[in-house]
Amino acid sequence: MLSKPTENSVITPPRDPCSPLTLQYPNTSTVLRLPEFPVSMKVVHLAKLIIDILKEATSKNLSPEACTCLCETSINIAELFLVPSFDPFEDTEDPGKASRFFCDCWYLSHAIFWESVELKEQLPNENFFDIISYLRSKGAATLKNNSDALHGKINVLINQMGGLDGQGKENHGLVIEMAFVQTVALINKYVTSWKKNLPKDEYRFLLQSTIDKTLKLLLVDVLSIQDISAKHSTCISNNFNLLLAQLSKVRSEDLADDSDSWIRFKLVIGLMDDSLVTIVENWENGTLSKYFRSSEVQHLVRALFQNTEKNAALRRRITGDIL
């Protein structure tokens, strides 16, 4: 059973109330019911086997010792699912495998949890908490490792372009553009698989987290540049606009609201194109001060504009953090 391929899956919960996938008990809150997500058929049958064993353990014809033995057997079967020799999800860099494993662990832990609750009056004082907790933590850890692997690859791609500071670098705008195109293609590969295999909330969380971490990485870089020429400012602005346009397609309608990182990124694009007077006005009216510290805006202003007395006087008006 454990050696069956994981790609053979079904969506839970099914419409058929007689299906072995249906673990929605009538007395439970809708908050605790499973959302829709694909589950491997082998895990569906594994969960049914465990449920059947637990129901058998409640048989009146069994001695307390036999009942305890059957409960321990059900726990051992669940643990066997996580034994490395049977675990086909060692490569956590594969988003499809990682997300399917997450769903399988969630479904299996859900099955054990609710069956143990339903039969708690008839079962011996057996502790199912450890196996339920372990299944959930194992699935969550695998998905987190998958997300971390993506972030690591994005870091490599962005670091390979040599930063956003183009001083003394030929064709640096093209290098930045190519790095951004590769980054979006990589994100899209993972996101497509996550969307296909994960519950909506988990998928949206990973999508938002991935976009935010990518934008934060670039924001730290651009806000640390010491000197930005007018030509390179236009280059950064154009490439940032290109990146946002591509990421907008990736997130589509799945993320309705703009995060703080997304808004900060758009504001930085505006800072690259605005006059110093406009920047100061936007700081004083709260457009910038809501999302940036004064030190961040002052540093970017020094990098973008000549250090004249007039500019210095304007820059001194950028003060008073509200963050």
Side-chain angles (χ1 to χ4, degrees):
M1 184 183 295
L2 289 172
S3 62
K4 291 181 179 179
T6 58
E7 286 76 9
N8 185 12
S9 61
V10 288
I11 301 295
T12 181
R15 294 182 179 179
D16 180 7
C18 298
S19 168
L21 261 171
T22 306
L23 298 174
Q24 316 297 8
Y25 296 99
N27 296 328
T28 61
S29 166
T30 54
V31 176
L32 298 177
R33 294 187 180 185
L34 283 176
E36 284 192 359
F37 56 79
V39 181
S40 303
M41 279 304 301
K42 71 173 186 180
V43 174
V44 173
H45 294 304
L46 192 66
K48 188 175 185 304
L49 174 62
I50 292 173
I51 289 171
D52 288 343
I53 292 173
L54 290 176
K55 287 181 177 178
E56 180 65 25
T58 64
S59 173
K60 295 180 180 179
N61 299 326
L62 291 179
S63 65
E65 292 78 11
C67 182
T68 299
C69 183
L70 284 176
C71 288
E72 291 176 352
T73 299
S74 67
I75 293 173
N76 292 338
I77 291 173
E79 289 176 343
L80 188 60
F81 172 67
L82 300 175
V83 172
S85 59
F86 287 103
D87 186 357
F89 309 99
E90 293 177 357
D91 182 11
T92 57
E93 292 192 4
D94 186 321
K97 289 181 179 180
S99 52
R100 284 193 295 270
F101 183 61
F102 170 83
C103 291
D104 286 348
C105 287
W106 189 355
Y107 179 83
L108 193 56
S109 67
H110 184 88
I112 296 171
F113 173 72
W114 281 119
E115 201 62 35
S116 64
V117 169
E118 287 289 296
L119 302 174
K120 64 181 179 180
E121 299 299 331
Q122 300 160 274
L123 291 173
N125 189 23
E126 191 69 35
N127 186 6
F128 293 93
F129 175 79
D130 288 344
I131 186 60
I132 293 169
S133 177
Y134 186 50
L135 281 165
R136 291 178 177 175
S137 62
K138 183 73 172 179
T142 301
L143 195 59
K144 182 181 183 302
N145 290 341
N146 184 238
S147 176
D148 289 345
L150 171 58
H151 298 151
K153 292 177 181 178
I154 293 172
N155 280 339
V156 170
L157 284 174
I158 292 177
N159 289 334
Q160 283 177 345
M161 75 182 185
L164 294 170
D165 187 354
Q167 196 168 14
K169 301 174 184 177
E170 295 184 6
N171 300 319
H172 194 55
L174 181 60
V175 172
I176 295 174
E177 181 181 346
M178 291 304 299
F180 285 178
V181 169
Q182 290 176 317
T183 297
V184 173
L186 182 61
I187 292 174
N188 195 50
K189 173 188 173 183
Y190 275 70
V191 165
T192 301
S193 187
W194 288 339
K195 187 174 184 178
K196 177 182 176 183
N197 293 291
L198 289 173
K200 289 182 180 179
D201 287 346
E202 277 66 28
Y203 156 68
R204 288 171 179 160
F205 173 80
L206 289 178
L207 174 60
Q208 186 70 75
S209 173
T210 298
I211 291 176
D212 282 350
K213 288 184 178 181
T214 302
L215 297 183
K216 285 177 182 178
L217 190 64
L218 294 169
L219 284 168
V220 169
D221 193 347
V222 74
L223 291 173
S224 65
I225 301 177
Q226 298 298 320
D227 185 27
I228 306 175
S229 66
K231 180 180 179 181
H232 195 57
S233 172
T234 302
C235 170
I236 293 175
S237 176
N238 290 341
N239 278 302
F240 275 15
N241 274 315
L242 174 65
L243 179 63
L244 281 188
Q246 292 175 328
L247 288 177
S248 294
K249 294 178 182 178
V250 172
R251 70 179 197 162
S252 185
E253 298 177 356
D254 296 318
L255 298 177
D257 300 323
D258 291 343
S259 66
D260 284 356
S261 295
W262 188 276
I263 295 172
R264 275 167 58 88
F265 203 78
K266 290 171 68 174
L267 288 172
V268 162
I269 295 173
L271 286 168
M272 292 287 174
D273 300 328
D274 288 340
S275 66
L276 181 52
V277 172
T278 301
I279 291 173
V280 172
E281 289 176 350
N282 286 337
W283 175 265
E284 292 177 337
N285 65 28
T287 302
L288 293 174
S289 58
K290 185 178 179 181
Y291 296 99
F292 293 94
R293 294 184 176 86
S294 58
S295 58
E296 292 175 321
V297 179
Q298 285 180 358
H299 180 91
L300 194 55
V301 164
R302 279 193 294 267
L304 287 167
F305 299 96
Q306 292 181 335
N307 190 23
T308 64
E309 289 186 8
K310 180 180 178 181
N311 287 348
L314 286 169
R315 192 173 65 242
R316 283 194 291 270
R317 289 166 59 183
I318 303 174
T319 184
D321 294 338
I322 65 172
L323 290 179

